[in-house]
């Protein structure tokens, strides 16, 4: 159990480092011109596709950052497609193991992008998938759990279920306070 925990912590550190680096790289290289940013993102996407990553977590981290940059420029449809690529990239790897936190985190991120694109039903379906993964023994840290809960609250609110949304946000706040 300790080895698995240590491996998960190491993966999280690696992912954070890759995320921060890619974020800086893309922002620096793209500048502020929308066309230039989109071209840079497309180049990054193609490069990720061509690169045989030894550690699958690096590819996942890069795809997540790429999706985030597409959200920043308002292209949530492309962000959703990239998050689906990230999910597909872990299939058959240790990152997809039943106790892994990565599938839960990816499902919650895709749900956030779906909700951002006004697909609340799709977002809730992804969140339900994350819940099933958790029920099956997957691990998730407080940050991921709160992201999932908050995304569900936003989706529920968009669907007019405001009382449910408020209850979910209160749960998220309780979890943050307890951590």
């Amino acid at each position: 159990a300790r080895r698995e925990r240590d491996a998960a912590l190491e993966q999280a550190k690696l992912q954070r480092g890759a995320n921060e680096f890619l974020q800086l790289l893309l922002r620096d290289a793209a500048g502020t011109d929308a066309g230039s940013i989109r071209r840079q993102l497309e180049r990054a996407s193609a490069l990720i596709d061509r690169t045989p990553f030894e550690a699958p977590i690096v590819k996942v981290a890069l795809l997540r950052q790429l999706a985030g940059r597409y959200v920043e420029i308002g292209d949530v449809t492309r962000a959703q497609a990239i998050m689906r690529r990230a999910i597909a990239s872990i299939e058959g790897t240790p990152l997809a193991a039943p106790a892994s936190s990565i599938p839960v985190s990816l499902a919650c991120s895709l749900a956030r992008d779906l909700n951002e694109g006004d697909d609340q039903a799709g977002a809730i379906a992804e969140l339900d998938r994350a819940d099933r993964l958790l029920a099956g023994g997957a691990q998730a840290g407080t940050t991921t759990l709160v992201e999932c809960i908050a995304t569900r609250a936003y989706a529920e609110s968009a669907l007019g279920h405001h009382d449910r949304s408020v209850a979910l946000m209160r749960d998220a706040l309780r979890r943050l306070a307890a951590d």
Side-chain angles (χ1 to χ4, degrees), residues 15-29:
Q15 187 172 4
R16 275 193 307 274
N19 284 347
E20 289 170 7
F21 177 75
L22 182 63
Q23 190 173 21
L24 290 171
L25 180 68
L26 288 174
R27 284 191 178 137
D28 184 60

Side-chain angles (χ1 to χ4, degrees), residues 15 56-64 86 89-90 95 102 106:
Q15 187 172 4
I57 191 68
V58 174
K59 184 173 185 173
V60 169
L62 294 172
L63 288 169
R64 286 183 93 154
S89 77
I90 67 169
L95 298 177
I102 302 300
L106 290 174

Side-chain angles (χ1 to χ4, degrees), residues 128-148:
D128 289 346
R129 187 169 72 82
D131 287 345
R132 287 190 302 276
L133 291 166
L134 289 166
Q139 302 297 308
T142 301
T143 302
T144 298
L145 292 174
V146 168
E147 176 189 357
C148 290

Side-chain angles (χ1 to χ4, degrees), residues 145-146 149 165-177:
L145 292 174
V146 168
I149 294 166
S165 178
V166 168
L168 287 163
M169 288 308 283
R170 285 185 177 141
D171 180 36
L173 290 171
R174 272 193 303 276
R175 287 174 188 262
L176 284 172

Side-chain angles (χ1 to χ4, degrees), residues 23-153:
Q23 190 173 21
L24 290 171
L25 180 68
L26 288 174
R27 284 191 178 137
D28 184 60
T32 58
D33 172 53
S36 175
I37 292 169
R38 185 170 297 282
R39 283 188 301 277
Q40 189 66 25
L41 293 174
E42 290 303 319
R43 278 187 235 139
S45 179
L47 182 59
I48 291 169
D49 283 343
R50 290 191 313 263
T51 304
F53 294 97
E54 186 175 320
I57 191 68
V58 174
K59 184 173 185 173
V60 169
L62 294 172
L63 288 169
R64 286 183 93 154
Q65 279 302 313
L66 191 60
R69 302 301 67 80
Y70 274 105
V71 168
E72 286 177 2
I73 65 169
D75 192 345
V76 293
T77 301
R78 184 75 172 125
Q80 293 165 10
I82 290 170
M83 285 307 302
R84 286 187 173 94
R85 281 173 48 200
I87 291 168
S89 77
I90 67 169
E91 290 177 13
T93 74
L95 298 177
S100 175
S101 64
I102 302 300
V104 174
S105 179
L106 290 174
C108 291
S109 293
L110 176 55
R112 183 193 61 234
D113 292 345
L114 288 164
N115 188 59
E116 190 75 24
D118 291 325
D119 181 1
Q120 283 73 40
I124 289 172
E126 277 302 308
L127 294 165
D128 289 346
R129 187 169 72 82
D131 287 345
R132 287 190 302 276
L133 291 166
L134 289 166
Q139 302 297 308
T142 301
T143 302
T144 298
L145 292 174
V146 168
E147 176 189 357
C148 290
I149 294 166
T151 299
R152 188 179 293 273

